[in-house]
Amino acid sequence: MNFSNLPLGVFDSGIGGLTVVKEIFQQLPNEKIIYFGDTARVPYGTKSKETVTRFSLEIVHFLQKKQVKLIIVACNTASAYALDELKNKFKKIPIIGVIEPGTRAALEKTSTGKIGLIGTEGTIRSKTYERTFKKLNLGKSSIKVFSHPCPLFVPLVEEGWLTKEVTYRIAEEYLSPLKKEKIDVLLLGCTHYPLLKTVIHKVVGEEVTIIDSASETVKEVKRLLEEKNLLRENRISPRHLFYVSDAPEKFQSLSKHFLGSDYKKIAPIHLKSF
Amino acid sequence: MNFSNLPLGVFDSGIGGLTVVKEIFQQLPNEKIIYFGDTARVPYGTKSKETVTRFSLEIVHFLQKKQVKLIIVACNTASAYALDELKNKFKKIPIIGVIEPGTRAALEKTSTGKIGLIGTEGTIRSKTYERTFKKLNLGKSSIKVFSHPCPLFVPLVEEGWLTKEVTYRIAEEYLSPLKKEKIDVLLLGCTHYPLLKTVIHKVVGEEVTIIDSASETVKEVKRLLEEKNLLRENRISPRHLFYVSDAPEKFQSLSKHFLGSDYKKIAPIHLKSF
């Protein structure tokens, strides 16, 4: 069997993981994607480690049955809470989260060592990023991470209020404590947040480098596929599959925000068993 | 078997249904409650009719097995989307939603016939309130309903931002179109919204009567229990059971916002099978 021809599995609590899909379209245009968005149970960011881990195990089990060659956990909360357990339970398949790639990029970009981190309640509470910064920062000068949960950012994105006055106000409320610490890098620890980049930049200042983990994660996936000789080389343009656990209409219409004109590649399939 | 001694079943997508529980504590202090909060899958307001109906059927099945004498659907979205199907599938047990009682109260209170209605995306999209207004308004003068979905209100309540400046701004955004229509009654079509009453009153003006369906719903339950001779008369103070599908800590801590000092009556039990 030619494993390289198998699809990449990608999952998220809902639609946020499409920021990762967009990067795959750009960096790995030959790859086939099987996406799962848990839109019936979204969001994960406000829920417990136990529940998020249970949901993630169910989804990886589903993707494994679909015969994917690699799985990307395109959700920060699931990566923060469940990645270790997923790797333990599914040893035969490489599973990549969004936290290590984002952390690595933040470490590369900071000059002052003062890094801001925003994410869901769950991601911040888990302290997974802090542990990852410690793990990856071997030998570098001191790093200080200032973190803040932004629970209203996901509903704002889902509402499509990307640049409203109210959105600025909420961003100021969340981000001004980080600004006061004079961070030089801000890591967006949630796959929804890149859609609020304009507002976030305006609040923290143009001099702060904003990092979203989608691009970094796909770079790492590319490296890994190259290393394992698993890049798809078939020239027939790939057919993607998008599964959602709630009715597909909303996913379809919101996908425009995330994918621009690429949204046409999406025809979500409703899975009623989740 | 003495049916009157059986508990009342109450369910909601999460914690919002506690506004109904509070009313039961006040109006029916002898009654035992079995509550189910679907905190692992909250919110319902942004999800499809099909998904909300499937979840509601599962929960009513659970409550029925617990032998309750009556079920209150303490969630507007579930009432709007699923009440008819629940009544059809579970004919042996009276099931009461929050929509008819709220509608009846709004009809009683309006002088001008101009009624504002706010709720989740799902509740507003379903048009169930409009149909109920028509059904209950037989013989009365003309009624005009002006409705607006307020998808950020639930996350604001869950964030505990009950009176912040940002909350006023968001409320202005949502409510100013209703204010312009010179409504004299505003119906809160979501069990979370009573916690934002201060802000909402300030935005729409003190002259507008605000109606939340919790109080009206429990009045109707009381009437029905009296009629069927099902009021619990046992003098032993009732022991309540609160089940949640996510870990119980957050439910417990947020319950203070909803119940004041009565939150001590709550020790949520985690059900992992949902």
Side-chain angles (χ1 to χ4, degrees):
Chain A
M1 192 180 184
N2 182 4
F3 284 107
S4 63
N5 204 31
L6 297 178
L8 298 174
V10 181
F11 81 89
D12 179 43
S13 60
I15 197 157
L18 292 183
T19 52
V20 172
V21 167
K22 191 180 180 182
E23 285 294 329
I24 298 175
F25 286 166
Q26 278 167 7
Q27 295 186 40
L28 296 163
N30 267 335
E31 296 298 329
K32 275 193 287 195
I33 297 167
I34 294 192
Y35 185 92
F36 182 88
D38 198 2
T39 50
R41 305 189 291 196
V42 72
Y44 286 2
T46 52
K47 290 159 193 173
S48 69
K49 177 176 182 167
E50 195 180 345
T51 294
V52 171
T53 304
R54 178 161 62 86
F55 292 168
S56 302
L57 286 166
E58 287 170 21
I59 295 165
V60 169
H61 186 70
F62 167 81
L63 290 173
Q64 193 203 29
K65 281 198 293 182
K66 295 276 169 198
Q67 292 202 293
V68 294
K69 61 183 172 188
L70 181 146
I71 289 172
I72 306 172
V73 185
C75 169
N76 283 265
T77 311
S79 298
Y81 275 151
L83 190 63
D84 291 343
E85 193 157 338
L86 293 174
K87 285 183 168 179
N88 268 334
K89 288 248 164 87
F90 297 89
K91 289 196 171 135
K92 285 188 189 158
I93 189 159
I95 302 179
I96 290 191
V98 286
I99 290 184
E100 282 208 14
T103 304
R104 201 169 286 128
L107 285 170
E108 276 162 21
K109 289 280 160 61
T110 184
S111 317
T112 63
K114 291 184 169 182
I115 297 170
L117 164 70
I118 54 176
T120 66
E121 250 183 279
T123 300
I124 301 300
R125 204 189 318 114
S126 74
K127 304 248 178 235
T128 306
Y129 269 106
E130 278 82 347
R131 284 195 297 277
T132 311
F133 271 111
K134 269 190 195 147
K135 184 177 121 189
L136 300 181
N137 189 34
L138 297 171
K140 232 198 161 179
S141 57
S142 76
I143 291 291
K144 258 194 134 168
V145 179
F146 303 93
S147 64
H148 206 294
C150 305
L152 288 166
F153 276 2
V154 171
L156 281 168
V157 170
E158 301 266 345
E159 174 78 328
W161 286 14
L162 304 181
T163 52
K164 277 212 181 236
E165 174 62 22
V166 163
T167 311
Y168 280 96
R169 291 303 195 91
I170 293 175
E172 272 170 359
E173 186 85 28
Y174 287 143
L175 302 174
S176 59
L178 302 179
K179 210 183 155 185
K180 269 188 208 145
E181 301 293 349
K182 301 207 170 78
I183 54 169
D184 72 338
V185 161
L186 178 63
L187 177 50
L188 308 185
C190 172
T191 47
H192 274 82
Y193 296 179
L195 276 85
L196 296 173
K197 237 179 192 169
T198 314
V199 168
I200 293 171
H201 240 146
K202 208 159 174 178
V203 172
V204 296
E206 290 296 329
E207 67 284 5
V208 173
T209 307
I210 292 182
I211 291 172
D212 77 82
S213 40
S215 150
E216 303 303 323
T217 303
V218 177
K219 276 184 210 161
E220 184 152 328
V221 169
K222 194 176 176 185
R223 239 183 342 253
L224 197 77
L225 293 177
E226 282 166 351
E227 195 187 296
K228 293 185 185 273
N229 215 4
L230 281 175
L231 281 169
R232 182 172 178 271
E233 286 174 9
N234 197 324
R235 293 230 184 119
I236 301 163
S237 132
R239 197 182 144 249
H240 310 296
L241 288 171
F242 289 83
Y243 294 96
V244 289
S245 49
D246 192 13
E249 293 76 16
K250 193 175 179 189
F251 185 88
Q252 179 103 53
S253 84
L254 279 174
S255 68
K256 290 177 206 174
H257 285 311
F258 285 81
L259 295 178
S261 64
D262 276 339
Y263 85 94
K264 288 169 197 155
K265 296 179 186 165
I266 288 191
I269 300 156
H270 187 188
L271 280 174
K272 296 169 194 183
S273 54
F274 275 84
Chain B
M1 193 179 182
N2 183 4
F3 284 107
S4 64
N5 204 32
L6 296 178
L8 299 173
V10 181
F11 81 90
D12 179 43
S13 60
I15 198 157
L18 292 183
T19 52
V20 173
V21 167
K22 192 180 181 182
E23 284 294 329
I24 299 175
F25 286 166
Q26 278 168 8
Q27 295 185 43
L28 295 163
N30 266 336
E31 296 298 329
K32 274 194 287 196
I33 297 167
I34 294 192
Y35 185 92
F36 181 88
D38 197 2
T39 50
R41 305 187 292 195
V42 71
Y44 285 2
T46 53
K47 290 160 193 171
S48 69
K49 175 175 184 169
E50 194 180 345
T51 294
V52 171
T53 304
R54 179 162 61 88
F55 292 167
S56 302
L57 286 166
E58 286 170 21
I59 296 166
V60 169
H61 185 71
F62 167 81
L63 290 172
Q64 192 201 30
K65 281 199 296 182
K66 294 278 168 197
Q67 293 202 292
V68 294
K69 62 184 171 187
L70 180 148
I71 289 173
I72 306 171
V73 185
C75 169
N76 283 265
T77 312
S79 297
Y81 275 151
L83 190 64
D84 291 343
E85 192 158 340
L86 293 173
K87 284 182 168 179
N88 269 334
K89 288 249 164 87
F90 297 89
K91 289 196 169 133
K92 285 189 188 157
I93 190 160
I95 303 180
I96 290 192
V98 286
I99 290 184
E100 282 209 15
T103 304
R104 201 168 287 128
L107 285 170
E108 276 163 21
K109 290 280 158 63
T110 185
S111 319
T112 63
K114 292 185 170 183
I115 297 171
L117 164 69
I118 54 176
T120 66
E121 250 182 279
T123 300
I124 301 301
R125 204 188 318 113
S126 75
K127 305 247 178 235
T128 307
Y129 269 105
E130 277 82 348
R131 284 194 296 277
T132 311
F133 271 110
K134 270 189 196 147
K135 183 177 122 190
L136 299 182
N137 189 35
L138 298 170
K140 233 198 159 177
S141 57
S142 77
I143 292 290
K144 259 196 133 169
V145 180
F146 303 93
S147 64
H148 206 294
C150 305
L152 287 166
F153 276 2
V154 171
L156 280 167
V157 170
E158 300 267 344
E159 174 79 328
W161 286 13
L162 305 181
T163 53
K164 277 211 181 235
E165 174 62 22
V166 163
T167 312
Y168 280 96
R169 291 302 195 92
I170 294 175
E172 272 169 0
E173 187 85 27
Y174 287 142
L175 302 175
S176 60
L178 302 180
K179 213 185 153 183
K180 268 187 209 146
E181 301 292 349
K182 300 208 170 80
I183 55 169
D184 72 338
V185 161
L186 178 63
L187 177 49
L188 308 185
C190 173
T191 47
H192 274 82
Y193 296 180
L195 275 86
L196 296 173
K197 236 178 192 168
T198 314
V199 168
I200 293 172
H201 240 146
K202 210 158 172 178
V203 173
V204 295
E206 290 297 327
E207 68 284 5
V208 173
T209 307
I210 292 181
I211 291 173
D212 77 82
S213 40
S215 150
E216 302 305 321
T217 303
V218 177
K219 274 184 210 160
E220 183 153 327
V221 169
K222 193 176 175 183
R223 239 182 343 254
L224 198 77
L225 293 177
E226 282 166 352
E227 195 187 299
K228 293 185 184 273
N229 215 6
L230 279 175
L231 281 169
R232 181 172 179 270
E233 285 174 8
N234 197 324
R235 293 229 184 121
I236 300 164
S237 124
R239 197 182 144 248
H240 310 297
L241 288 171
F242 289 83
Y243 294 96
V244 289
S245 49
D246 191 14
E249 293 74 17
K250 193 174 179 189
F251 186 89
Q252 179 101 55
S253 82
L254 279 174
S255 67
K256 290 177 206 174
H257 285 311
F258 285 81
L259 295 178
S261 64
D262 275 339
Y263 85 94
K264 287 170 197 153
K265 295 179 186 166
I266 288 191
I269 300 156
H270 186 187
L271 280 174
K272 295 169 197 185
S273 54
F274 276 84

